Amino acid sequence: MPAPSDALAQDVQRTRSGRWKMLLLALVCAAPVAASYFSYYVWRPGGGTSLGVLIDPQRPIPALAATDLSGQPFDLRKLQGQWLLVSVGAARCDARCESNLYLQRQLRESLGKDKERVDWVWLVSDDERVPDGLRPALGQATVVRVPARELAQWLTPEAGHPLSDALYVVDPMGHWMMRFPTVTQENASKAKRDLARLLRASASWDQPGRE
């Protein structure tokens, strides 16, 4: 039988080896994501000006008190597995809200075959009823009601602007990682270019649909 000191040394060595293997596995899993962000933010073929602002550190979707429009509980974390293009607005949906919803749909459609990798999401920040006239335009959107105080645990606006001004990009792993300041018809092409770069850079590890 081995001496107690030898057995203890072997246990310590096995524990240390196991930890290194777990760390290596974590690095391997994270490498494709890190590489895609590196290629977007550091090495940018073709150059050009970006509209998107990187969120650092990235913020995973928290457990928020959300509901669908019928009042049933909705876990936002179920949306993981796709890129998300998110807007926030009160149910009455003012001119900025309507513009954001229109641009979300247009940006997604403009991505061609890659649009199937992107979902557009409207987070309704109050308890009012969504106007009946607006609902037909939301057929392809995911609409979830999340109180403003809950959203403050996850999303933050650009300094000096309300949360409803911007569009927010969430990666397939559920991390809010980019914010588009106020998107308009004039700068929407820059937002499209940024989204296309992200999708191109992540093509090696992201596929349409949720597992």
Side-chain angles (χ1 to χ4, degrees):
M1 294 181 62
S5 58
D6 293 339
L8 180 60
Q10 291 175 4
D11 288 343
V12 171
Q13 184 176 0
R14 282 195 294 267
T15 299
R16 184 179 296 114
S17 176
R19 288 174 178 170
W20 277 110
K21 288 178 181 178
M22 290 179 63
L23 178 59
L24 180 60
L25 179 61
L27 290 174
V28 169
C29 292
V33 183
S36 64
Y37 291 165
F38 177 85
S39 65
Y40 176 82
Y41 288 105
V42 181
W43 181 71
R44 297 184 179 183
T49 303
S50 295
L51 181 66
V53 177
L54 176 67
I55 304 304
D56 186 24
Q58 298 168 21
R59 303 183 186 180
I61 301 175
L64 301 178
T67 60
D68 61 24
L69 292 186
S70 66
Q72 297 301 308
F74 187 96
D75 186 350
L76 284 178
R77 291 170 296 187
K78 292 196 312 183
L79 298 179
Q80 291 179 202
Q82 289 275 83
W83 287 93
L84 307 178
L85 185 58
V86 180
S87 67
V88 178
R92 70 179 187 280
C93 202
D94 60 15
R96 166 48 52 194
C97 168
E98 289 187 4
S99 176
N100 279 343
L101 292 175
Y102 171 78
L103 288 168
Q104 283 175 277
R105 181 175 61 187
Q106 294 304 105
L107 285 170
R108 181 178 181 273
E109 290 298 318
S110 72
L111 295 171
K113 64 180 182 180
D114 279 333
K115 73 178 184 179
E116 301 303 328
R117 296 167 58 195
V118 180
D119 287 348
W120 60 292
V121 179
W122 180 27
L123 302 181
V124 181
S125 57
D126 60 19
D127 294 327
E128 299 299 317
R129 178 178 173 79
V130 174
D132 291 337
L134 184 61
R135 293 179 182 242
L138 300 171
Q140 296 182 343
T142 298
V143 184
V144 183
R145 197 182 300 275
V146 187
R149 65 180 181 278
E150 295 282 326
L151 281 174
Q153 301 177 40
W154 184 33
L155 303 177
T156 55
E158 183 184 15
H161 291 261
L163 197 63
S164 56
D165 269 4
L167 298 180
Y168 306 87
V169 180
V170 180
D171 71 23
M173 304 177 97
H175 298 99
W176 170 39
M177 52 74 62
M178 182 181 287
R179 176 177 58 231
F180 290 131
T182 307
V183 181
T184 64
Q185 291 286 355
E186 288 70 27
N187 64 15
S189 61
K190 292 182 179 180
K192 175 191 172 183
R193 186 165 59 241
D194 287 354
L195 284 172
R197 283 174 176 160
L198 284 172
L199 292 172
R200 185 167 59 247
S202 62
S204 64
W205 56 270
D206 172 56
Q207 298 296 323
R210 295 183 173 85
E211 295 183 358

